[in-house]
């Protein structure tokens, strides 16, 4: 990992914001938490859903060559023999003879325990899959595994999907779901969890076009992060060396993000060749080939796999969005989250708590919430309420004031620039929709006017 950039957010500050504002909590916190398991709170669950929605939209909704899938977490145990996970999904571990902590052998410098300085054992292989039992009897024959990746569910459904969708090569499947790994080295907040979510594509292609599709996916996936606001200087592509390549991969690139602890993998894109279909055909006894009508022959497609983590993406989006500046002479913390990802899109803020403003404000709130995640906040000064929304990344605040009762107009304030416009209530929803889709704030609806230039500074 490279040296962290000085300009980046401090992880401790981000963790504190996430806990304080209800994005992410330690799992079962009242019992002291469970190592590397996290709960997404009211705002976190919105962020996470928005990340998944943006991904699904880009890879399924807006393409006609990918279909969705939702396979079960528990799969036939033979799956993991075929995939190589039972044999190969292992990390060499060393254990401290004094304090009994276990460490990944490749991450310990020297031959002493990093915690207590005790003597370490020889490395032993440790399988990362969680084991459990199906049915009432805990015996060898009933062992099943919590899937360590979503990919296998798509490989084993290759035939079902070809037969039911009439998809021809090249085509893909996309899946979002939980995966479980009994990770040894954990930490760095939600970067490495034992229970996490993946967003994976398995894209099936003719072998001679694999390189072209691999390049396509490296570019597509890098652009997705940039489109959603990740600064390009915080992203890099890293090619796996021959020694590092997984047993199934012909070529692999990581999209790395510059996290506070340094550069680390955000998504992996691999050319898996025909490994998976060949293995599952061998272990299941089913033919998983594809009839190529042009060549008039059966072929085994190659697979290009872009595999991303939902939790790691959330962490990267949060790190990239975190900022501190000065607004109207006051220091503020803000999240520059892309509007598609922001948990709350609009906040309705009556200027005062006086009874007279409540009915109109609540009417606007009731109308807007049918279209966007909207919050109503009338507690404390307007300045404090703006700060609260900035800190959770709400792109727009709508202020209802006494003049609104006379002229039926309200003010829209933009989070990042602090610019404000005044618009007729009748135009409000349409205007917000356009701004959330990226229209400049100062493009005015009929009857709208510029209210205030922005004054944010570093
Ligand atoms: P790492 O080297 O960081 O352990 P990996 O190469 O094992 O990751 P893959 O098996 O390629 O990861 O998984 C694809 C994606 O799933 C990763 O890029 C990451 O975003 C996510 N991911 C993998 N393991 C974890 C985990 N323990 N916690 C959170 N996300 C994970």
């Amino acid at each position: 990992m490279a040296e962290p950039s000085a300009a980046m957010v401090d992880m401790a500050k981000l963790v504190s914001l996430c806990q304080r504002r209800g994005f992410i909590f330690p799992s079962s916190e009242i019992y002291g938490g469970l190592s590397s398991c996290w709960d997404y709170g009211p705002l976190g669950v919105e962020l996470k859903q928005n990340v998944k929605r943006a991904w699904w939209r880009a890879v399924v909704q807006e393409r006609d060559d990918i279909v969705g899938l939702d396979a079960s977490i528990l799969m036939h145990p033979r799956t993991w023999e075929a995939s190589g996970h039972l044999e190969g999904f292992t990390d060499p571990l060393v254990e401290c003879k004094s304090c009994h902590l276990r460490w990944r052998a490749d991450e310990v410098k020297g031959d002493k325990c990093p915690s207590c300085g005790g003597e370490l054992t020889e490395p032993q292989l440790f399988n990362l899959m969680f084991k459990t039992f199906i049915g009432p009897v805990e015996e060898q024959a009933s062992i099943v595994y919590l899937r360590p990746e979503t990919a296998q569910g798509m490989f084993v459904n290759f035939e079902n999907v070809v037969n039911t969708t009439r998809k021809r090569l090249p085509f893909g499947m996309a899946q979002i779901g939980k995966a479980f790994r009994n990770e040894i080295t954990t930490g760095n907040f939600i970067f490495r969890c034992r229970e996490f979510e993946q967003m994976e594509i398995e894209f099936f292609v003719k072998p001679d076009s694999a390189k072209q599709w691999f390049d396509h996916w490296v570019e597509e996936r890098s652009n997705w992060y940039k489109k959603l606001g990740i600064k390009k200087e915080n992203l890099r592509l890293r090619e796996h060396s021959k020694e590092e390549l997984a047993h199934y991969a012909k070529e692999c690139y990581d999209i790395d993000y510059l996290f506070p602890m340094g550069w680390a993998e955000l998504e992996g894109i691999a050319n898996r060749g025909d490994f998976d279909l060949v293995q599952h055909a061998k272990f299941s006894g089913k033919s998983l080939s594809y009839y190529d009508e042009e060549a008039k022959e059966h072929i085994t497609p190659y697979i290009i796999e872009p595999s991303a983590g939902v939790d790691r993406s959330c962490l990267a989006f949060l790190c990239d969005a975190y900022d501190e500046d000065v607004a109207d002479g006051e220091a503020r913390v803000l999240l520059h989250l892309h509007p598609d990802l922001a948990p709350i899109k609009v906040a309705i803020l009556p200027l005062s708590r006086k009874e007279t403003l409540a009915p109109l404000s609540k009417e606007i709130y009731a109308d807007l919430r049918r279209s966007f995640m909207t919050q109503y906040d009338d507690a404390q000064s307007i300045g404090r309420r703006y700060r609260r929304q900035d800190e959770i990344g709400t792109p727009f605040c709508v202020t209802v004031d006494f003049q609104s009762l006379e002229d039926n107009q309200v003010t829209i304030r933009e989070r990042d620039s602090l610019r404000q416009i005044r618009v007729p209530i009748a135009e409000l929803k349409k205007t917000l929709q356009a701004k959330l889709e990226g229209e400049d704030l100062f493009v005015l609806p009929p009857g709208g006017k510029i209210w205030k230039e922005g004054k944010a500074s570093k």
Side-chain angles (χ1 to χ4, degrees):
M1 285 187 186
E3 278 302 297
S5 139
M8 299 262 323
V9 52
D10 181 316
M11 187 74 104
K13 275 189 188 173
L14 189 71
V15 174
S16 145
L17 187 153
C18 285
Q19 294 211 17
R20 187 160 34 82
R21 299 307 312 273
F23 278 89
I24 299 163
F25 310 118
S27 157
S28 24
E29 193 178 7
I30 59 167
Y31 292 103
L34 181 65
S35 166
S36 296
C37 296
W38 299 91
D39 295 347
Y40 286 75
L43 294 177
V45 71
E46 296 296 333
L47 170 67
K48 200 179 189 198
Q49 275 183 16
N50 291 340
V51 167
K52 292 192 273 185
R53 201 173 287 141
W55 183 86
W56 195 263
R57 187 187 162 125
V59 310
V60 179
Q61 186 179 331
E62 292 179 357
R63 296 183 68 108
D64 49 24
D65 54 3
I66 298 193
V67 291
L69 193 83
D70 186 12
S72 69
I73 289 174
L74 301 177
M75 299 180 69
H76 194 289
R78 291 278 281 169
T79 309
W80 309 111
E81 284 176 49
S83 69
H85 280 85
L86 261 184
E87 216 173 285
F89 198 52
T90 47
D91 275 342
L93 283 194
V94 289
E95 187 172 318
C96 173
K97 289 181 183 167
S98 323
C99 71
H100 299 288
L101 279 178
R102 288 175 165 191
W103 307 92
R104 252 169 71 167
D106 57 340
E107 288 184 351
V108 178
K109 292 192 186 81
D111 56 0
K112 294 278 179 274
C113 170
S115 175
C116 75
E119 201 186 327
L120 297 170
T121 60
E122 285 300 306
Q124 284 182 1
L125 291 179
F126 171 81
N127 196 295
L128 300 185
M129 282 199 293
F130 281 98
K131 219 187 254 184
T132 186
F133 299 92
I134 213 156
V137 190
E138 293 192 8
E139 57 176 22
Q140 190 65 22
S142 58
I143 289 177
V144 287
Y145 300 90
L146 300 188
R147 68 181 177 201
E149 59 176 31
T150 63
Q152 302 300 325
M154 293 185 267
F155 305 141
V156 300
N157 274 295
F158 175 71
E159 212 186 1
N160 285 337
V161 170
V162 171
N163 290 344
T164 52
T165 62
R166 291 183 294 125
K167 288 281 174 216
R168 313 311 300 163
L169 293 184
F171 80 92
M173 290 181 218
Q175 178 166 224
I176 300 176
K178 289 266 183 175
F180 304 82
R181 295 182 188 179
N182 200 358
E183 299 277 8
I184 307 310
T185 319
T186 53
N188 289 324
F189 197 27
I190 52 172
F191 177 81
R192 194 181 298 286
C193 321
R194 294 203 164 100
E195 172 180 341
F196 56 100
E197 266 185 286
Q198 289 187 312
M199 309 183 279
E200 294 196 297
I201 300 167
E202 303 304 332
F203 202 76
F204 303 89
V205 301
K206 291 190 185 174
D208 61 4
S209 65
K211 175 66 186 148
Q212 170 203 329
W213 279 107
F214 179 79
D215 294 345
H216 166 88
W217 279 111
V218 170
E219 196 180 331
E220 279 288 299
R221 295 301 308 142
S222 306
N223 287 341
W224 184 78
Y225 292 103
K226 288 183 220 155
K227 263 194 238 151
L228 287 171
I230 299 263
K231 296 173 204 77
K232 68 175 187 320
E233 62 272 22
N234 291 336
L235 286 174
R236 74 171 187 195
L237 282 175
R238 194 182 67 81
E239 186 177 5
H240 281 208
S241 63
K242 286 264 169 312
E243 301 73 58
E244 203 187 342
L245 278 181
H247 61 283
Y248 51 76
K250 294 199 173 314
E251 189 175 12
C252 186
Y253 272 83
D254 285 347
I255 300 178
D256 284 353
Y257 178 74
L258 186 53
F259 288 99
M261 66 283 183
W263 287 105
E265 176 182 336
L266 184 55
E267 169 160 353
I269 299 159
N271 173 357
R272 303 179 66 113
D274 61 6
F275 176 82
D276 308 283
L277 292 179
V278 166
Q279 285 295 101
H280 285 299
K282 192 162 118 197
F283 279 73
S284 67
K286 297 270 186 309
S287 157
L288 297 180
S289 64
Y290 168 92
Y291 186 67
D292 180 353
E293 271 145 19
E294 268 169 33
K296 306 256 176 288
E297 60 177 0
H298 284 275
I299 60 167
T300 303
Y302 273 26
I303 297 174
I304 310 300
E305 176 191 73
S307 171
V310 178
D311 312 79
R312 263 186 215 181
S313 298
C314 287
L315 182 59
F317 286 123
L318 284 168
C319 290
D320 225 75
Y322 185 93
D323 199 7
E324 294 171 5
D325 70 3
V326 176
D328 300 325
E330 242 188 79
R332 69 169 176 165
V333 170
L334 76 161
L335 294 181
H336 296 282
L337 286 173
H338 187 286
D340 288 357
L341 303 182
I344 306 295
K345 314 293 181 197
V346 185
I348 309 297
L349 313 177
L351 191 64
S352 116
R353 241 180 169 174
K354 287 221 171 73
E355 279 303 299
T356 37
L357 290 184
L360 179 62
S361 308
K362 290 201 169 140
E363 199 182 304
I364 295 173
Y365 173 51
D367 181 38
L368 290 186
R369 68 192 297 188
R370 289 189 294 138
S371 303
F372 323 109
M373 280 303 292
T374 309
Q375 253 186 16
Y376 186 90
D377 187 3
D378 63 359
Q380 299 180 314
S381 75
I382 189 77
R384 302 249 336 230
R385 284 180 276 158
Y386 281 149
R387 296 297 98 83
R388 278 206 287 273
Q389 295 299 331
D390 294 340
E391 202 185 32
I392 62 169
T394 306
F396 298 104
C397 289
V398 171
T399 315
V400 183
D401 54 28
F402 293 103
Q403 204 185 323
S404 307
L405 302 173
E406 313 286 318
D407 65 5
N408 272 315
Q409 298 207 343
V410 288
T411 310
I412 303 177
R413 169 197 182 262
E414 188 176 57
R415 175 196 67 205
D416 294 353
S417 69
L418 297 175
R419 295 180 301 170
Q420 296 186 18
I421 57 173
R422 189 136 178 113
V423 301
I425 294 170
E427 297 292 330
L428 181 61
K429 194 189 270 187
K430 248 191 355 207
T431 306
L432 285 168
Q433 186 78 58
K435 307 306 172 202
L436 286 165
E437 284 174 10
E439 186 184 75
D440 188 81
L441 189 75
F442 281 174
V443 174
L444 297 168
K449 52 180 174 283
I450 291 177
W451 196 247
K452 199 171 158 201
E453 299 283 347
K455 272 206 237 115
S457 60
K458 283 280 174 182

